[in-house]
Each structure stands twice: as C-alpha cells, then as structure tokens.
Amino acid sequence: MPDFGAAVWRATELGCAAGATLATGHAALDAQLPGAGWPVGAICEILQPPGQRNEWRLLMPALRVSDGTLVAGPVVLVGPPHVPFEPGLAAQGLDARRLLWVLASAPDERLWAAEQALRCAGVLAVLVWLSQVRPEQLRRLQMAAQGHGKLLFVMRPTQAQSESSPAVLRLLASTQPDSDALLLHILKRRGPPLDQPLSLPARPARLAALLAMHRGDTSVAAPGPAARGARHNGFLQEGDDALGRTASLA
C-alpha cells in the first residue's frame, strides 16, 4: 500500500487550510483554525442567538487588513440589521468609506447581491445576513467566493445549527449575561471538535484603556498617543453609551 504521508489528513488533527487564509486578529482563535486564520475563498458561517450582534467585534481586526496580506478593498454589507456606527469603525481603524451597504430584504435579493459582490475584482470581503437559506444556495455562494478568492461571512441565527451547510468553518458567537466577553464555539472546522468554547476579550486593548480613563480607573494602562488623539478628537464625548456602541459596532 502506498504511503501518502503528510497528504493524509487525520480527523484527530487540525487540518491544513485548502487555500489562503487571513489572520483573524484573535490569537486564541487563530490557534484553533486551519491555516491560522479566516479561509479566503470559502464560506465562514457565524451563528448568533436572537438579539445578539457580535459579528463586528469578531471580524473587525481582519477587515482592517493591517498585515498587508490582502488589499484593503471595499467591504460589502448585504442586508445588515443596523446602520454601521461610523465613529466606532474609525476608532478601531476601519475607514467607513470602504463600506458598501446593500439594502435588500428578501432572501433571494440578498443572495443575488452577495453573489454579484463576490464577482467584483476590488472587493475584499462580503458580509451577508441570511435568516433562511437552502444548502444549494449556500453552495452557489461558496463557488463564487472560491472562484474569485474573496472573504465571505454569512450571519445566521442559532436555529440553523441543525441544518446542513457547505461552510468550511461554522462558529457560534454569543455573550453571557454576567460578562460581555465574546464566547466562541467552533461547530465545524477541518479538525477535531473543540470541547471548550473560546473566550475572546470584549474590547480591543486600546478601547478598554480609553474606557478606563473615562471612568477614572487608573489601574489600566493608559493608551498610546494615537488613542489619546482619538480622545481629544471627540470619540468619548458621547459617554459610556457611545463607547459601548463602539465596542459592539452594532
């Protein structure tokens, strides 16, 4: 019998990525993903409980594209549930002018718009919110993402967890009542099941320092010059509520 060596993937081991990846910006998550990042040219499915919107805090580090892996092109939002909070985006390093917001309510309209966006050469990533979708429709999006080498994130409700999906990566993102840290269950990956969920910090370190300064907490290290400049430019003038919106970007 021929020895295929490293070409054989064993389900007890974390597999290699089939193509390019982009670091998520969360070290703990990268360590658990094939290729140590979001797969480029494949569906990443993010499931969330009703009323929770955690996609921005999860995806923001990658969408900034600060490591030069990909060109920081437009980010297309198809059917987002809320208007993006532009000061929050700017505070975390994402130029709101890079966002293209597609208003589409019907599932078929969203699927069509997402597929067309994936075919656009300059687009970096497509984020689409789909409450109801059939597996064959997702496979069509998968083919478009793969054929054009795009990041594709599909946001769905937790009820979809029992449905089949062609996504190479499925995550369940939620927060707990006693903490706003992001709890991440890896439901599907090329590797063994992850028994314990990952807990990701609720806010970037710079934003956490800004919040602490605003509340007079001196136990947290002060942010660097860029963060202090943001403070004086008015990012904190709206108080804790606005900063909370900055954290969630929902």
Side-chain angles (χ1 to χ4, degrees):
M1 180 179 293
D3 183 9
F4 293 99
V8 176
W9 168 62
R10 296 170 176 81
T12 56
E13 303 172 352
L14 189 62
C16 298
T21 60
L22 178 66
T24 68
H26 307 281
L29 178 57
D30 284 342
Q32 299 296 335
L33 297 182
W38 300 121
V40 179
I43 292 179
C44 297
E45 203 169 349
I46 302 173
L47 311 183
Q48 301 183 82
Q52 292 195 20
R53 303 295 176 189
N54 304 300
E55 56 268 29
W56 279 112
R57 68 171 73 179
L58 179 61
L59 302 178
M60 176 60 68
L63 296 181
R64 287 197 301 257
V65 193
S66 58
D67 63 358
T69 304
L70 296 173
V71 177
V75 176
V76 180
L77 314 177
V78 181
H82 302 290
V83 178
F85 184 52
E86 293 188 12
L89 295 171
Q92 296 196 53
L94 179 63
D95 188 348
R97 292 173 296 183
R98 289 178 53 210
L99 296 182
L100 298 178
W101 184 13
V102 180
L103 293 175
S105 55
D108 288 345
E109 293 176 347
R110 295 186 181 188
L111 288 163
W112 182 87
E115 185 175 350
Q116 301 312 306
L118 290 168
R119 298 176 184 275
C120 294
V123 168
L124 167 70
V126 175
L127 282 63
V128 56
W129 284 258
L130 295 170
S131 57
Q132 295 180 341
V133 62
R134 298 191 303 274
E136 61 268 24
Q137 293 173 318
L138 287 176
R139 281 193 290 271
R140 187 178 178 91
L141 288 182
Q142 165 69 28
M143 292 176 62
Q146 183 176 5
H148 298 276
K150 304 298 182 186
L151 289 164
L152 174 58
F153 300 98
V154 179
M155 270 57 70
R156 303 186 66 193
T158 52
Q159 294 91 321
Q161 184 173 347
S162 60
E163 301 176 9
S164 63
S165 171
V168 299
L169 180 63
R170 298 187 90 190
L171 305 175
L172 173 59
S174 62
T175 54
Q176 301 302 304
D178 56 346
S179 171
D180 59 353
L182 187 58
L183 200 62
L184 211 58
H185 294 262
I186 299 180
L187 305 177
K188 180 182 179 182
R189 63 174 178 171
R190 189 182 173 95
L194 191 63
D195 295 331
Q196 298 296 326
L198 300 175
S199 180
L200 304 182
R203 302 180 179 92
R206 192 175 74 177
L207 181 57
L210 283 170
L211 280 167
M213 289 175 60
H214 183 62
R215 293 169 180 154
D217 184 356
T218 58
S219 63
V220 179
R228 289 196 296 269
R231 179 183 177 92
H232 291 298
N233 285 334
F235 286 117
L236 296 183
Q237 291 180 358
E238 295 182 20
D240 286 346
D241 290 342
L243 286 168
R245 292 172 63 194
T246 301
S248 63
L249 297 177

